[in-house]
Amino acid sequence: MQEGLRVLFVEDEPLVRQATAQSLELAGFSVLALPSAEAAMPHLAADFPGVLVTDVRLSGASGLDLLHHCRNAAPGVPVILVTGHGDITMAVQAMREGAYDFIEKPFGADRLTDTVRRALERRALELENRALRRELAGPAGSTRIIGRSPAIEQVRALVANVAPTDVPVMINGETGTGKELVARSLHALSTRHDGPFIALNCGAVPEAIFESEMFGHEAGAFTGAGKRRIGKLEHASGGTLFLDEIESMPLALQVKLLRVLQEGMLERLGSNTSIPIDVRIVAAAKGDMEALVAQGAFRQDLYYRLNVVTIPLPPLRERREDIVSLFEHFMLVAAVRYQRPVPLLAEAQRQALMQRPWPGNVRELRNAADRLVLGVPEGGAAAAAADDGMPLKERMERYERALIADTLARTGGAVSQAADLLQVGKATLYEKIKRYGL
Ligand SMILES: Nc1ncnc2c1ncn2[C@@H]1O[C@H](COP(=O)(O)OP(=O)(O)OP(=O)(O)O)[C@@H](O)[C@H]1O
Ligand SMILES: [Mg+2]
């Protein structure tokens, strides 16, 4: 996550500078150590990919001056101040003015690296957030397939391979696994991307109007057919027709569709004129198509025609390694959409997410991420009921833990800021964080 990020470290005392820079490097950070605020200022531009750690007392401009400069020149860069012992009042004031955190001298290397790591995470999120804003504004913004599990890697590879060809693709997966997203990426990566992407949900169209939805009709073709109507197949010409819930397509329509696909021509209802169409078909199904074919509920010839390539989408519970990256992606998208800050997930939250069953798959996960960004509690009443019969002390602890976790998420893990908000001492808060394993 922190690849390419760096720590700008300012300290005028050469020995301290060297030693601290070294311990940061040992912790795996890339460090630029400088002797003065003046030397640091030129590096602080809006896109500076990292964080600033500065001693407050410097010869020349002070660390506070540098903080103010940074707030103006590079507002997204977290600033960590290193203060002398007993400078708490000043440090709290600096936090109000936008410092990310402060560290009191003398400090252990762990304290510094932990704080820097959290600040870098925050910076990485913010930079990612910005990149995402740009991407969402662009044309292919909504078709990115997220996930690093072998199953998803394979899906991405298949999509990239077959998208530029015109072969029909069948996508199979439970509800919310991303079938429509895959269909849209197939279209976006195809040579037809400037053509239309038309979706038809075969499960949602009443059988009586299915035929005219699909093939269109001429005026007066049947009772109630007032005006000429262009069907979805014709609409999709030059582009992609996404046939969702293909398993619900009535058998009579299956025959007709097969003929159109074989001939590349269609006739609107009530017309004898054949119109050439050039459509790429992508179909999606939830159930076991082979079984439907075996039962005679789906035509075998059409099935073979449609599933030249099959892309299976496994349920989320079979690729749990994707859960956190998907969740973080959806939090970013929601934060951009609702203009909210992006919460950082605590380790306990990640674990909890990975363990949930997610019967609604990625869609359910996406809704949960939206709720977290909006600050809507997860299953509030249910959680309270589950507390019934629990001793008061335990209930209070649960509540306290949730409150601290939530505050930390809001401050992006900055303990000092959280302590400020909760109006407790930093030491007390640290002790509780440790006790609750946050
Ligand atoms: N791998 C993924 N990366 C990013 N977003 C995803 C991914 N998989 C699913 N999504 C998102 O999750 C939501 C549900 O996905 P989608 O609508 O494609 O599922 P579906 O399989 O068509 O569901 P249904 O069967 O209920 O129609 C969408 O918002 C989609 O963008
Ligand atoms: Mg769908």
Side-chain angles (χ1 to χ4, degrees):
M1 181 189 200
Q2 287 157 21
E3 274 158 46
L5 294 191
R6 61 207 315 214
V7 182
L8 188 58
F9 175 58
V10 184
E11 162 68 67
D12 57 352
E13 189 64 50
L15 289 178
V16 182
R17 182 169 69 244
Q18 217 177 356
T20 313
Q22 219 164 45
S23 65
L24 285 169
E25 271 161 4
L26 276 176
F29 303 120
S30 124
V31 184
L32 178 63
L34 296 170
S36 70
E38 289 81 356
M41 284 176 188
H43 293 275
L44 291 166
D47 57 354
F48 174 72
V51 303
L52 169 65
V53 181
T54 178
D55 196 17
V56 171
R57 272 162 225 229
L58 298 167
S59 45
S62 75
L64 290 178
D65 296 332
L66 189 54
L67 167 67
H68 295 142
H69 172 83
C70 188
R71 300 318 306 149
N72 291 322
V77 172
V79 179
I80 298 164
L81 295 172
V82 180
T83 67
H85 185 62
D87 273 347
I88 293 282
T89 323
M90 182 270 288
V92 169
Q93 181 57 30
M95 302 269 309
R96 294 223 169 88
E97 287 165 21
Y100 172 78
D101 206 348
F102 65 90
I103 296 179
E104 238 183 309
K105 281 183 188 169
F107 53 84
D110 283 357
R111 168 86 176 89
L112 178 65
T113 50
D114 280 355
T115 309
V116 166
R117 182 167 293 119
R118 272 198 297 267
L120 279 175
E121 269 180 28
R122 156 126 308 200
R123 183 66 178 143
L125 261 181
E126 177 149 341
L127 290 172
E128 214 179 307
N129 190 333
R130 235 200 273 176
L132 190 72
R133 261 174 221 272
R134 270 199 300 268
E135 198 189 306
L136 289 179
S142 48
T143 59
R144 193 148 65 108
I145 301 170
I146 309 283
R148 297 223 177 97
S149 61
I152 283 298
E153 297 279 14
Q154 206 181 335
V155 167
R156 250 197 311 269
L158 259 176
V159 167
N161 268 331
V162 301
T165 71
D166 267 351
V167 296
V169 177
M170 177 85 120
I171 307 163
N172 205 283
E174 286 180 14
T175 182
T177 46
K179 296 185 293 297
E180 178 151 356
L181 174 72
V182 167
R184 287 183 186 279
S185 357
L186 281 168
H187 177 72
L189 296 174
S190 76
T191 51
R192 301 168 167 268
H193 62 261
D194 286 329
F197 175 90
I198 304 287
L200 176 65
N201 185 335
C202 305
V205 185
E207 189 159 349
I209 63 161
F210 207 123
E211 197 168 1
S212 104
E213 272 289 305
M214 188 90 162
F215 305 98
H217 62 247
E218 292 297 337
F222 50 86
T223 324
K227 285 186 291 191
R228 164 192 282 177
R229 182 186 175 118
I230 305 296
K232 299 277 188 190
L233 264 167
E234 208 177 324
H235 260 311
S237 207
T240 305
L241 179 62
F242 175 50
L243 295 173
D244 205 358
E245 300 190 24
I246 186 89
E247 67 271 32
S248 315
M249 182 178 283
L251 277 164
L253 268 284
Q254 293 180 22
V255 187
K256 256 195 110 170
L257 174 62
L258 180 64
R259 203 167 52 232
V260 172
L261 295 182
Q262 278 166 346
E263 292 167 7
M265 304 283 256
L266 75 75
E267 282 156 29
R268 298 185 195 127
L269 294 182
S271 159
N272 294 321
T273 321
S274 290
I275 306 163
I277 53 148
D278 165 31
V279 184
R280 200 259 184 94
I281 304 279
V282 176
K286 281 200 185 88
D288 178 353
M289 288 298 289
E290 307 266 343
L292 286 179
V293 170
Q295 290 159 22
F298 200 89
R299 289 188 64 101
Q300 189 170 38
D301 44 10
L302 180 60
Y303 178 62
Y304 286 144
R305 179 108 203 162
L306 294 178
N307 86 336
V308 176
V309 174
T310 298
I311 302 185
L313 284 176
L316 210 46
R317 62 182 176 280
E318 285 172 18
R319 44 178 166 118
R320 294 191 185 273
E321 62 268 48
D322 288 341
I323 290 175
V324 171
S325 42
L326 278 166
F327 197 83
E328 283 177 338
H329 170 76
F330 293 140
M331 285 200 304
L332 271 175
V333 174
V336 169
R337 176 163 347 113
Y338 305 123
Q339 310 274 332
R340 296 286 177 105
V342 187
L344 273 187
L345 293 178
E347 190 46 37
Q349 281 173 298
R350 290 169 191 252
Q351 291 303 328
L353 287 174
M354 283 204 276
Q355 276 153 24
R356 278 167 62 169
W358 302 113
N361 293 298
V362 186
R363 180 176 298 107
E364 185 185 1
L365 186 79
R366 176 171 206 156
N367 293 339
D370 277 9
R371 284 196 297 270
L372 187 69
V373 168
L374 290 171
V376 183
E378 281 291 312
D387 282 353
D388 276 353
M390 197 184 269
L392 178 64
K393 183 166 178 296
E394 246 166 83
R395 282 202 219 187
M396 300 275 287
E397 282 175 354
R398 250 193 187 208
Y399 184 65
E400 186 176 65
R401 184 183 189 284
L403 210 59
I404 294 173
D406 182 58
T407 310
L408 282 172
R410 276 200 290 152
T411 64
V415 176
S416 309
Q417 237 168 311
D420 240 16
L421 284 170
L422 292 166
Q423 299 181 30
V424 291
K426 250 165 84 163
T428 313
L429 189 57
Y430 266 120
E431 186 262 324
K432 287 183 192 293
I433 289 170
K434 221 166 110 189
R435 175 146 53 93
Y436 293 132
L438 290 169

